[in-house]
Amino acid sequence: PILSELSHNTTGQRVIDHHAFNDSNVELFRLLRTKLNFILNLPDQKVVLVTSTEPGEGKSYVAINLAINLSLTEKKVILLGMDIRKPQLRNYLKLKKGELGLTSYFSGQVKDHHQLITEMDEYPNLHVLTAGIVPPNPNELLMSKRVDQLISELRNEYDYIIIDTAPVGVVSDTFVINRIADIALYVCRINFSDKRKSRESSHYESS
């Protein structure tokens, strides 16, 4: 089912101004937030995976702004950058450059995930955990038990966990981590997304 529709973002910015009262897209993200809460069986279901078929369809844009919007409701939210082959979350959010991230935790180099979390000054209820160094074995790394361990711990620490993942029409990483999600938001973009590729991705998932 179609959960929600969003307007095109014509500003060129990945992060919209969620404090604006006359921005139609801000209101549409509020509507998405409301509909999502009707679907999720809170507080048991709180892990939201965001994906698409191919790059450029807006999955990271949706994941970022949904996480921000949820955090404005006095809920504690963490945004995970689990597109570990082509990580862009740090760039999109204009965070300080750093090599350590999720891949460092999944590989066992970092034992405590709290060392990797970035707090957002403008949005105090939002935390971010970026991907880190691109590993030589991304698919195998996402199959590790440390992924499940991290999500289990985050479920106890946060009200919402938003995961930005890789496009399913390009690599199989998102299918691997689908096991940890309570719901998957599949982003399509008008005048961009190819319906044929969406059908192929759906067939792959069902098989």
Side-chain angles (χ1 to χ4, degrees), residues 2 6 14 25 46 80 84 97 105 112 121 129 141 163 167 182 185 189 191 200:
I2 296 176
L6 301 170
R14 301 284 179 175
N25 241 348
K46 56 178 66 179
L80 305 182
I84 62 175
K97 292 184 177 180
Y105 178 81
D112 185 0
D121 294 335
L129 218 171
L141 206 58
I163 305 177
D182 296 315
L185 298 185
R189 181 178 170 186
N191 297 325
E200 290 171 3

Short mmCIF file of all heavy atoms in Angstrom, two decimals, residues 2 6 14 25 46 80 84 97 105 112 121 129 141 163 167 182 185 189 191 200:
data_model
loop_
_atom_site.label_atom_id
_atom_site.label_comp_id
_atom_site.label_asym_id
_atom_site.label_seq_id
_atom_site.Cartn_x
_atom_site.Cartn_y
_atom_site.Cartn_z
N ILE A 2 0.34 2.32 -0.60
CA ILE A 2 1.04 3.61 -0.60
C ILE A 2 0.78 4.28 0.74
O ILE A 2 -0.37 4.58 1.08
CB ILE A 2 0.57 4.50 -1.76
CG1 ILE A 2 0.93 3.84 -3.10
CG2 ILE A 2 1.20 5.89 -1.65
CD1 ILE A 2 0.42 4.60 -4.30
N LEU A 6 5.06 12.71 -1.04
CA LEU A 6 5.82 13.90 -0.69
C LEU A 6 6.00 14.76 -1.94
O LEU A 6 6.08 14.23 -3.05
CB LEU A 6 7.19 13.52 -0.12
CG LEU A 6 7.19 12.64 1.14
CD1 LEU A 6 8.59 12.14 1.43
CD2 LEU A 6 6.64 13.42 2.33
N ARG A 14 19.36 18.66 1.32
CA ARG A 14 18.91 17.35 1.79
C ARG A 14 18.06 17.45 3.04
O ARG A 14 17.20 16.61 3.28
CB ARG A 14 20.12 16.46 2.08
CG ARG A 14 21.03 16.23 0.88
CD ARG A 14 20.44 15.24 -0.07
NE ARG A 14 21.29 15.05 -1.23
CZ ARG A 14 21.07 14.16 -2.20
NH1 ARG A 14 19.99 13.39 -2.12
NH2 ARG A 14 21.88 14.05 -3.22
N ASN A 25 6.14 20.62 2.24
CA ASN A 25 6.84 19.35 2.46
C ASN A 25 7.00 19.03 3.93
O ASN A 25 6.99 17.87 4.33
CB ASN A 25 8.21 19.37 1.76
CG ASN A 25 8.31 18.28 0.72
OD1 ASN A 25 7.48 17.39 0.66
ND2 ASN A 25 9.34 18.35 -0.11
N LYS A 46 9.57 -0.41 16.32
CA LYS A 46 10.18 0.92 16.26
C LYS A 46 11.31 1.04 15.24
O LYS A 46 11.90 2.11 15.09
CB LYS A 46 10.71 1.31 17.64
CG LYS A 46 11.70 0.30 18.23
CD LYS A 46 12.24 0.77 19.58
CE LYS A 46 11.18 0.82 20.66
NZ LYS A 46 11.71 1.24 21.97
N LEU A 80 20.47 5.56 11.43
CA LEU A 80 21.62 4.70 11.11
C LEU A 80 21.92 4.75 9.62
O LEU A 80 21.03 4.56 8.79
CB LEU A 80 21.33 3.25 11.51
CG LEU A 80 20.93 2.98 12.96
CD1 LEU A 80 20.75 1.48 13.18
CD2 LEU A 80 21.96 3.54 13.92
N ILE A 84 26.44 0.89 3.49
CA ILE A 84 27.87 0.91 3.83
C ILE A 84 28.78 0.78 2.61
O ILE A 84 30.00 0.87 2.75
CB ILE A 84 28.21 -0.20 4.85
CG1 ILE A 84 27.92 -1.59 4.29
CG2 ILE A 84 27.44 0.02 6.14
CD1 ILE A 84 28.34 -2.72 5.22
N LYS A 97 34.17 15.06 9.32
CA LYS A 97 34.69 13.84 8.72
C LYS A 97 35.29 12.93 9.79
O LYS A 97 35.96 13.39 10.71
CB LYS A 97 35.75 14.15 7.66
CG LYS A 97 35.18 14.85 6.43
CD LYS A 97 36.25 15.04 5.37
CE LYS A 97 35.65 15.67 4.12
NZ LYS A 97 36.67 15.87 3.06
N TYR A 105 32.12 -1.02 14.29
CA TYR A 105 31.44 -1.78 15.33
C TYR A 105 31.11 -3.20 14.85
O TYR A 105 31.34 -4.18 15.58
CB TYR A 105 30.15 -1.07 15.76
CG TYR A 105 29.36 -1.81 16.79
CD1 TYR A 105 29.70 -1.74 18.14
CD2 TYR A 105 28.28 -2.61 16.43
CE1 TYR A 105 28.98 -2.45 19.10
CE2 TYR A 105 27.55 -3.31 17.38
CZ TYR A 105 27.91 -3.24 18.71
OH TYR A 105 27.21 -3.94 19.65
N ASP A 112 32.01 -0.50 21.93
CA ASP A 112 30.87 0.25 22.46
C ASP A 112 30.33 1.19 21.39
O ASP A 112 31.02 2.13 20.97
CB ASP A 112 31.31 1.04 23.69
CG ASP A 112 30.15 1.75 24.37
OD1 ASP A 112 29.01 1.63 23.90
OD2 ASP A 112 30.40 2.44 25.38
N ASP A 121 23.05 19.23 17.28
CA ASP A 121 22.80 20.41 18.12
C ASP A 121 21.42 21.01 17.87
O ASP A 121 20.72 21.40 18.81
CB ASP A 121 23.88 21.47 17.86
CG ASP A 121 25.26 21.01 18.32
OD1 ASP A 121 25.31 20.15 19.22
OD2 ASP A 121 26.26 21.49 17.77
N LEU A 129 24.28 7.70 13.63
CA LEU A 129 25.38 6.74 13.60
C LEU A 129 25.68 6.45 12.15
O LEU A 129 24.92 5.76 11.47
CB LEU A 129 25.00 5.47 14.37
CG LEU A 129 26.09 4.81 15.21
CD1 LEU A 129 25.52 3.71 16.07
CD2 LEU A 129 27.20 4.26 14.33
N LEU A 141 29.49 -8.63 6.38
CA LEU A 141 29.51 -7.84 7.60
C LEU A 141 28.10 -7.59 8.12
O LEU A 141 27.84 -7.63 9.32
CB LEU A 141 30.21 -6.50 7.33
CG LEU A 141 30.88 -5.81 8.52
CD1 LEU A 141 31.92 -6.70 9.15
CD2 LEU A 141 31.51 -4.49 8.06
N ILE A 163 16.59 3.56 9.55
CA ILE A 163 17.76 2.99 8.88
C ILE A 163 17.77 3.39 7.41
O ILE A 163 16.85 3.06 6.65
CB ILE A 163 17.79 1.46 9.00
CG1 ILE A 163 17.70 1.04 10.47
CG2 ILE A 163 19.04 0.89 8.36
CD1 ILE A 163 17.64 -0.47 10.67
N PRO A 167 20.17 0.75 -2.12
CA PRO A 167 19.09 0.46 -3.08
C PRO A 167 19.01 -1.03 -3.38
O PRO A 167 20.04 -1.67 -3.65
CB PRO A 167 19.48 1.26 -4.33
CG PRO A 167 20.49 2.26 -3.87
CD PRO A 167 21.20 1.63 -2.72
N ASP A 182 11.08 -3.61 11.49
CA ASP A 182 9.67 -3.86 11.75
C ASP A 182 8.81 -3.44 10.56
O ASP A 182 7.72 -3.97 10.37
CB ASP A 182 9.23 -3.08 13.00
CG ASP A 182 9.94 -3.55 14.25
OD1 ASP A 182 10.04 -4.78 14.44
OD2 ASP A 182 10.42 -2.70 15.02
N LEU A 185 10.01 1.13 4.35
CA LEU A 185 9.45 2.17 3.49
C LEU A 185 10.20 2.14 2.17
O LEU A 185 11.42 2.27 2.14
CB LEU A 185 9.61 3.55 4.15
CG LEU A 185 8.91 3.77 5.49
CD1 LEU A 185 9.07 5.24 5.92
CD2 LEU A 185 7.44 3.42 5.40
N ARG A 189 10.19 7.65 -7.05
CA ARG A 189 10.22 9.06 -7.44
C ARG A 189 9.57 9.24 -8.81
O ARG A 189 9.95 8.55 -9.77
CB ARG A 189 11.67 9.55 -7.47
CG ARG A 189 11.85 11.00 -7.85
CD ARG A 189 13.33 11.36 -7.79
NE ARG A 189 13.59 12.66 -8.37
CZ ARG A 189 14.80 13.17 -8.55
NH1 ARG A 189 15.86 12.46 -8.17
NH2 ARG A 189 14.96 14.36 -9.09
N ASN A 191 8.61 10.44 -12.44
CA ASN A 191 9.43 10.82 -13.59
C ASN A 191 10.89 10.39 -13.45
O ASN A 191 11.78 10.95 -14.08
CB ASN A 191 9.38 12.33 -13.85
CG ASN A 191 7.98 12.80 -14.20
OD1 ASN A 191 7.22 12.08 -14.86
ND2 ASN A 191 7.64 14.01 -13.78
N GLU A 200 10.85 -6.14 -10.56
CA GLU A 200 11.97 -7.08 -10.43
C GLU A 200 12.41 -7.18 -8.97
O GLU A 200 12.67 -8.27 -8.46
CB GLU A 200 13.14 -6.62 -11.30
CG GLU A 200 12.87 -6.77 -12.80
CD GLU A 200 13.96 -6.12 -13.62
OE1 GLU A 200 14.93 -5.61 -13.02
OE2 GLU A 200 13.84 -6.10 -14.87
#
